Amino acid sequence: MILALDAMGGDYGPAENCLGAVEACRKFPDLDIALVGDSDRIKMAVDSVESSIRGRLHIVSAEESISMDESPARAIRSKRRSSLRLAMEMVRSGEAGGCISAGNTGAIVAGGVLVVGRISGIDRPGLGVVLPTLEKPTLLIDVGATIRCKPLNLSQFAVMGSLFMKHMVGVNRPDVRLLSNGSEEIKGDEVISEARTMLVENSHIDFGGYIEGNGVPFGHADVVVCDGFSGNVMLKSFEGLGELALKILKNEVDKRILAKMGLVFFLPMLKDLQHRFDYQKFGGTPLLGVNGAVIKAHGRSKAPAITSALGVARDFVLKNGVSKIKEEITDLLPGEEDV
């Protein structure tokens, strides 16, 4: 299997991206990786790697890259030799099974639509991230692909999220909820209310009604559906609260001698807790609704997160994630015309 990695994407560029690719090849013997970007910088990062791994790393030269602050659609259209666009073209042509980038989220979404293409029947793609909640993994969709949503978009996110949890995570009948400002039916604005009506009428998914933000960390749903703005805020809050909890604990321990003495007994538990909520372990977020495996990695991903993102892409391809969504999506979508 060949995956295309945008080696120039993210805060750390080729150095960390290439290290992550090397480790992914060590971890997954069936994996080859096309490193797309500045060939000189990529060669510097990988030429000293052992030959058995180096032979599975293929450099694809790209003269341009897309920065985090560029206009997404304009950059994808104008920078035809950018590392991100070339990686996506490899997916479209079938040269690569999927592509991974830690770069500009908007450009990844724009490239997914303009280069890879949408799945027939899907109006807008959605980024779905699996959260490590208290009770079980929960898919939050959308977390930034479609900022302003119509009811149809939210309804389609619900269907794609349900299929993802069923086929990728193994949840038999995913409980789908719609993020709102209350659990009562009268809550939510016009968009949320209309989306709720569409989901209630869709007998092909298990819709459980609304869920409030404070219920998400406890795993009260398998799929939580929202617009990209709300989802991104929730995701960043989720990450921040995890980091805050660990820092508060550390600060309190530093103030107390007995707590420091007892820390040796709690250290294994604390490491497990930190690992459980570490975004680097989860690595990548699939862009659902496009006609290929496109994985968005965290913008500040270092090598371990890139390795995880490549693992997410590999798993998505091996489980035929795109094909399974395409096969079932038409029957599960509500009776709306494609916009």
Side-chain angles (χ1 to χ4, degrees), residues 2-9 33-37 60-62 64 66 76 79-102 108 111-112 115-116 292-295:
I2 297 179
L3 297 177
L5 173 63
D6 171 17
M8 311 308 290
I33 300 172
L35 298 168
V36 188
V60 178
S61 181
E64 299 175 299
I66 297 174
I76 281 291
K79 290 189 171 182
R80 294 184 173 272
R81 293 295 301 172
S82 67
S83 55
L84 176 59
R85 173 146 187 159
L86 289 181
M88 289 191 167
E89 286 181 351
M90 291 181 70
V91 175
R92 183 180 64 185
S93 68
E95 294 176 82
C99 70
I100 301 90
S101 177
I108 292 169
V115 180
V116 179
V294 176
I295 306 299

Side-chain angles (χ1 to χ4, degrees), residues 152-204:
L152 175 64
N153 302 140
L154 296 175
S155 176
Q156 292 179 351
F157 293 163
V159 172
M160 291 191 293
S162 181
L163 289 174
F164 179 89
M165 292 301 284
K166 175 184 175 183
H167 293 298
M168 299 297 109
V169 183
V171 180
N172 186 31
R173 296 178 63 87
D175 177 17
V176 180
R177 304 292 181 98
L178 190 59
L179 185 66
S180 188
N181 61 331
S183 58
E184 302 86 356
E185 292 185 17
I186 61 171
K187 296 292 186 177
D189 60 14
E190 292 180 0
V191 173
I192 297 293
S193 179
E194 188 175 340
R196 184 185 188 283
T197 300
M198 295 174 72
L199 292 173
V200 167
E201 294 174 352
N202 190 338
S203 60
H204 298 292

Side-chain angles (χ1 to χ4, degrees), residues 179-180 182 211-220 234:
L179 185 66
S180 188
I211 185 172
E212 295 180 76
N214 59 2
V216 176
F218 291 91
H220 292 170
M234 169 153 281

Side-chain angles (χ1 to χ4, degrees), residues 48-156:
S48 61
V49 176
E50 63 268 31
S51 59
S52 61
I53 299 298
R54 180 65 184 86
R56 291 157 56 200
L57 299 171
H58 314 283
I59 299 175
V60 178
S61 181
E63 296 81 21
E64 299 175 299
S65 61
I66 297 174
S67 65
M68 292 293 196
D69 58 355
E70 288 190 69
S71 171
R74 186 183 301 122
I76 281 291
R77 286 191 174 100
S78 64
K79 290 189 171 182
R80 294 184 173 272
R81 293 295 301 172
S82 67
S83 55
L84 176 59
R85 173 146 187 159
L86 289 181
M88 289 191 167
E89 286 181 351
M90 291 181 70
V91 175
R92 183 180 64 185
S93 68
E95 294 176 82
C99 70
I100 301 90
S101 177
N104 184 315
T105 300
I108 292 169
V109 175
V113 173
L114 298 174
V115 180
V116 179
R118 289 177 296 162
I119 291 175
S120 178
I122 296 297
D123 181 39
R124 295 286 186 271
L127 282 166
V129 60
V130 178
L131 301 175
T133 62
L134 181 64
E135 295 181 2
K136 57 189 175 183
T138 294
L139 181 75
L140 179 65
I141 181 171
D142 176 36
V143 296
T146 304
I147 300 301
R148 296 181 179 178
C149 288
K150 298 177 292 187
L152 175 64
N153 302 140
L154 296 175
S155 176
Q156 292 179 351

